[in-house]
Amino acid sequence: MSDSEDETPDRQLKIVVLGDGASGKTSLATRYSQEQFGKQYKQTIGLDFFLKRIVLPGNINVALQVWDIGGQTLGGQMLQNYIYGSQGILMVYDITNHSSFENLEDWYNSVKKVFAGARIPHLALVGNKIDLEHIRTVKLDKHQKFAQEHGMSSHFVSAKTGDSVSLCFQRIAAELLGIKLTKPEVEQQQRVVKAEIIKYNNDTVPHPSGGPTKSSMCSVQ
């Protein structure tokens, strides 16, 4: 992979990240573009914009424009402007939060409405927070059924550990450009991280530590 500003990319792809607030969209985009993870949740207002340059097989340089859309934009007038012109849309939910999964139906319907009569971008169903597999509330078969019924590719990631994050975006970019990834290339982007299980006493409430991370990227409100 390369993040060189001097290289002229062969292709540019606009990738939009949708989903409920606190599903991990911003953490996912930040982990992928800056290889960072913020422990404290900060709501995205409007959208955040990230840029990531990658090299796909065949020495194809690709600039991925990752648009992190705030969860409160569902049904808003600006949603159409945000997702217009996108080649790929990631619909992200938290595998430990069942309502974030159920609400994807509303996000999907909003996307269909925007692209009514036009070709819908590539849709990807992304289950985030797989480092918390031990407290999963959305069963795997529900995930797979939703993806199949809506013609979506299926992905599982952990923005916290970075597990399969790069692989998710690489697979989507490769599919959009009609590039087939080999098994070694897939394995190179996928790393398995052991989940950390923290046990709290009944009278102990965990509090996030550290301050909110600030993106150096563009923020639109």
Side-chain angles (χ1 to χ4, degrees), residues 75-96:
Q77 295 180 350
M78 291 302 295
L79 182 61
Q80 178 174 349
N81 297 334
Y82 291 158
I83 67 179
Y84 178 80
S86 59
Q87 285 82 35
I89 297 178
L90 278 64
M91 294 192 178
V92 182
Y93 73 94
D94 173 359
I95 68 168
T96 71

Side-chain angles (χ1 to χ4, degrees), residues 80-189:
Q80 178 174 349
N81 297 334
Y82 291 158
I83 67 179
Y84 178 80
S86 59
Q87 285 82 35
I89 297 178
L90 278 64
M91 294 192 178
V92 182
Y93 73 94
D94 173 359
I95 68 168
T96 71
N97 183 340
H98 202 272
S99 64
S100 70
F101 175 76
E102 292 179 330
N103 291 338
L104 288 182
E105 189 69 45
D106 293 330
W107 286 103
Y108 176 79
N109 290 332
S110 293
V111 170
K112 276 182 61 178
K113 186 176 180 180
V114 171
F115 291 94
R119 182 179 179 182
I120 296 181
H122 173 88
L123 299 179
L125 178 61
V126 182
N128 187 29
K129 305 187 183 183
I130 57 173
D131 54 291
L132 301 177
E133 178 69 33
H134 55 289
I135 54 173
R136 168 196 285 271
T137 60
V138 180
K139 293 183 179 180
L140 180 61
D141 59 345
K142 282 193 173 183
H143 171 106
Q144 301 293 9
K145 181 180 180 182
F146 188 92
Q148 292 173 4
E149 289 180 347
H150 297 80
M152 308 168 75
S153 59
S154 173
H155 310 265
F156 288 100
V157 302
S158 169
K160 181 177 181 179
T161 65
D163 189 1
S164 297
V165 171
S166 291
L167 176 61
C168 172
F169 284 91
Q170 188 191 47
R171 282 176 55 193
I172 293 169
E175 185 163 339
L176 287 171
L177 298 177
I179 298 173
K180 187 174 179 62
L181 299 177
T182 65
K183 186 176 180 181
E185 288 164 344
V186 170
E187 292 175 345
Q188 183 180 3
Q189 295 299 323

Side-chain angles (χ1 to χ4, degrees), residues 187-199:
E187 292 175 345
Q188 183 180 3
Q189 295 299 323
Q190 185 177 31
R191 63 188 183 93
V192 178
V193 180
K194 201 170 184 180
E196 179 183 2
I197 301 177
I198 302 176
K199 294 182 179 180

Side-chain angles (χ1 to χ4, degrees), residues 189-219:
Q189 295 299 323
Q190 185 177 31
R191 63 188 183 93
V192 178
V193 180
K194 201 170 184 180
E196 179 183 2
I197 301 177
I198 302 176
K199 294 182 179 180
Y200 295 98
N201 296 327
N202 292 334
D203 57 348
T204 303
V205 179
H207 295 280
S209 59
T213 58
K214 292 185 178 180
S215 170
S216 59
M217 303 301 174
C218 174
S219 179

